[in-house]
Structure formats: C-alpha cells, structure tokens
C-alpha cells in the first residue's frame, strides 16, 4: 500500500489472530482526521516465542525484534510529522517492548542495524500510545495464552502452537512475565498514554489494569495517563461495541497529544 510522506501516522499493532481486514475500521478512524496508518501484526509463533524471550536477552534475534526494526525503518523512510502507536493486547505489547528497548534504552543499536536510522529524530516525532485491552496480566501461565490461541486459524496452526506452549519451561515463563509486567509498570518513557479496556474482558483483567494505570500515574503524572473502562465489550472489541465513544476518546487523546507538541490540530502543523 502506498503511503504519503510528511503526514501524521499511526502504527496499528494487531492482536493475536488478527487479520489486516480486522484493523480497517481503526485505520478509517485515523484517516478521517488526516492521519495515515501502518498496520503490523506479529505472527502467533512470534508471540509464543516472546513468552520466554525478552529484549534484555542480548543474544535474541527474534521475530519481534525484526518486526520492531522494520517499523522503525519504515517510519524513518516516511518521515511523519509525528506518530502514535495503537497497541492491541499483549501481541502489540511485545512489539512495543522492542521498540521501547531500541529507541530509549539501546539507541546505539539502531546505527549498527541501519546507519540511516536516527533514534533522536524518531523519539521527537513519537507523541502518544493507545493501549487497547493491554497489557494483559497473564502471570506466566500457559493456560492464559491457550485461551488467546482460540482466535488463531487455521486449526492446524492453532494446534501446533498449543502443543508448543505445553512444552515451554514454566519457570522461564514466570521469569519472563515478571520482566514483561515490570517493564509495563515502571517504564519511564515520558509519552502520553491512553488505556482502553473493559470490565468484561476475560483476557485482560480490568482490576489488574487499573492497578497498573494508578501506578503509571505516579510515574508519568496524571495528565499523561488517560483511561476509559467500557462496561460490556469483549477483548479488543471496544470499537465494535461502542463505536462513537471509542472514536471520541481516541480523537480527544490525539488532539491533546498534538497540541502539546506544537500542532494546531490533530493532523496539521502550526
């Protein structure tokens, strides 16, 4: 798909089992205010691997790492005026972990990967993050992932991944979860964040998310942390169930982020 340069962009990071067509309504929501969109979906096998592989593992050459680098390279090429990440479930969070690690913790890694990548420039253009049904607290349990794999097709792929999760080292999974959740709690990246979640979500506990959000407010200041709890939508189903409210919340958040960064409206520069 052709993308115009020098426009605001959203990077849509889809959920486990998501297909590009499932992100069409989100893309259209952003396009309605003059934003372009990149859509990226980590494969189910990459998600299973991420249960034991973290960005802090120096030796890892994971698919999540490659996907994060691909996104940063594409953003560098497109040179958006500014951009946000729109993250769905832990599938998107695992990609965000790598983007955060590369941009904010190991920026010198970029120059070794691609001399054209400028971490400072990308950080300056990065103005917000939307978390939809994320992060999901799974406590290192494989049964939580097995529930999420119900959305994966075809059946043969789902069964293959289910078998793989059963063979994972549970101690390593628990250690990895602690690293993942601690990173989501303690991330000091000073970028406004919007959390959209549901009381009825069986995969992303509202109580756990609200504990995280409350803690994030102490780190980033309350003005940088937005939240909304929907009363009756399923995991990653808030836009489908509450389209007007979801649209309004995201656009209000975009408006606040753009004004803070010197833009006169959601999609235009002063």
């Amino acid at each position: 798909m052709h993308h115009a340069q020098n426009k605001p962009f959203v990077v849509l990071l889809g959920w486990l089992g998501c297909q590009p067509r499932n992100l069409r309504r989100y893309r259209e929501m952003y396009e309605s205010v003059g934003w372009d969109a990149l859509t990226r979906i980590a494969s189910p096998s990459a998600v299973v691997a991420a249960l034991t592989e973290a960005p802090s593992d120096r030796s890892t050459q994971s698919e999540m790492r490659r996907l994060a680098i691909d996104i940063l390279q594409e953003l560098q090429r497109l040179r958006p005026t500014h951009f946000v990440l729109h993250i769905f479930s832990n599938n998107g969070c695992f990609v965000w972990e790598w983007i955060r690690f590369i941009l904010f913790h190991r920026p010198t890694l970029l120059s070794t990967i691609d001399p054209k990548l400028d971490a400072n420039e990308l950080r300056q253009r990065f103005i917000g993050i939307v978390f939809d049904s994320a992060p999901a607290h799974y406590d290192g349990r494989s049964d939580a992932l097995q529930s999420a794999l119900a959305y994966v097709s075809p059946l043969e792929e789902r069964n293959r991944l289910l078998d793989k999760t059963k063979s994972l080292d549970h101690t390593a999974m628990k250690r990895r979860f602690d690293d993942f959740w601690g990173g989501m709690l303690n991330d000091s990246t000073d970028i406004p964040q919007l959390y959209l979640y549901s009381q009825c979500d069986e995969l992303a506990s509202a109580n756990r998310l609200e504990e995280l959000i409350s803690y994030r407010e102490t780190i980033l200041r309350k003005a940088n942390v937005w939240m909304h709890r929907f009363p009756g939508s399923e995991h990653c189903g808030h836009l489908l169930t509450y389209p007007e409210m979801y649209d309004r919340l995201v656009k209000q958040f975009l408006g606040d982020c753009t004004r803070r960064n010197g833009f006169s409206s959601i999609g235009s520069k002063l």
Side-chain angles (χ1 to χ4, degrees):
M1 181 175 181
H2 175 73
H3 297 289
Q5 292 186 321
N6 303 121
K7 291 183 65 175
F9 267 81
V10 58
V11 181
L12 297 166
L13 298 173
W15 59 89
L16 184 62
C18 177
Q19 300 297 322
R21 66 178 181 275
N22 301 134
L23 297 174
R24 178 182 56 82
R25 292 185 66 176
Y26 300 93
R27 175 188 288 275
E28 290 172 350
M29 176 179 65
Y30 282 91
E31 288 174 345
S32 72
V33 287
W35 287 54
D36 207 340
L38 296 176
T39 59
R40 296 291 187 272
I41 305 165
S43 72
S45 59
V47 177
V48 172
L51 294 176
T52 55
E53 296 176 353
S56 54
D57 300 335
R58 292 179 181 270
S59 61
T60 186
Q61 295 291 322
S62 69
E63 182 181 329
M64 289 293 182
R65 177 183 186 272
R66 293 192 297 273
L67 181 56
I69 292 167
D70 169 73
I71 291 166
L72 294 173
Q73 288 176 319
E74 186 69 356
L75 288 170
Q76 184 78 54
R77 185 186 69 80
L78 291 167
R79 297 183 63 82
T81 53
H82 48 292
F83 70 91
V84 302
L85 300 183
H86 195 126
I87 294 167
F88 297 91
S89 195
N90 283 354
N91 207 30
C93 285
F94 289 142
V95 184
W96 159 233
E97 274 189 304
W98 266 106
I99 292 174
R100 182 182 70 204
F101 180 75
I102 294 170
L103 272 187
F104 297 95
H105 301 295
R106 294 289 189 277
T108 55
L109 183 63
L110 279 182
S111 60
T112 64
I113 296 166
D114 184 343
K116 296 178 182 178
L117 289 173
D118 186 334
N120 186 56
E121 180 181 309
L122 288 167
R123 286 195 299 267
Q124 289 176 352
R125 297 173 189 271
F126 186 9
I127 67 167
I129 310 172
V130 179
F131 289 94
D132 183 313
S133 310
H137 188 280
Y138 64 95
D139 200 22
R141 294 177 294 107
S142 60
D143 59 331
L145 179 67
Q146 289 167 12
S147 298
L149 285 171
Y151 297 94
V152 173
S153 60
L155 180 61
E156 294 78 7
E157 173 72 357
R158 185 191 313 163
N159 289 336
R160 185 183 69 79
L161 292 169
L162 284 170
D163 289 340
K164 188 170 183 179
T165 62
K166 293 172 185 176
S167 66
L168 292 174
D169 182 281
H170 292 284
T171 302
M173 286 180 63
K174 180 61 168 66
R175 184 168 57 247
R176 168 67 176 114
F177 167 75
D178 291 341
D179 178 76
F180 167 77
W181 197 253
M184 292 295 159
L185 275 171
N186 298 305
D187 171 31
S188 59
T189 306
D190 191 19
I191 294 174
Q193 301 174 3
L194 167 62
Y195 293 85
L196 302 170
Y197 60 100
S198 169
Q199 183 63 42
C200 300
D201 192 335
E202 295 182 359
L203 293 177
S205 163
N207 291 337
R208 290 290 193 176
L209 264 171
E210 287 172 353
E211 290 172 2
L212 179 141
I213 291 165
S214 178
Y215 187 74
R216 299 291 298 142
E217 289 175 340
T218 67
I219 294 176
L220 295 183
R221 303 183 307 276
K222 198 165 186 176
N224 278 348
V225 182
W226 295 45
M227 59 180 282
H228 185 81
R229 180 174 65 184
F230 296 98
S233 43
E234 295 182 355
H235 192 67
C236 298
H238 318 313
L239 176 61
L240 295 177
T241 309
Y242 304 102
E244 293 181 2
M245 176 60 76
Y246 194 102
D247 183 275
R248 182 161 63 251
L249 288 165
V250 170
K251 289 176 181 176
Q252 286 175 347
F253 178 69
L254 293 179
D256 184 74
C257 292
T258 53
R259 283 189 295 272
R260 291 188 194 200
N261 287 272
F263 294 85
S264 60
S265 65
I266 291 178
S268 61
K269 183 72 174 172
L270 280 170

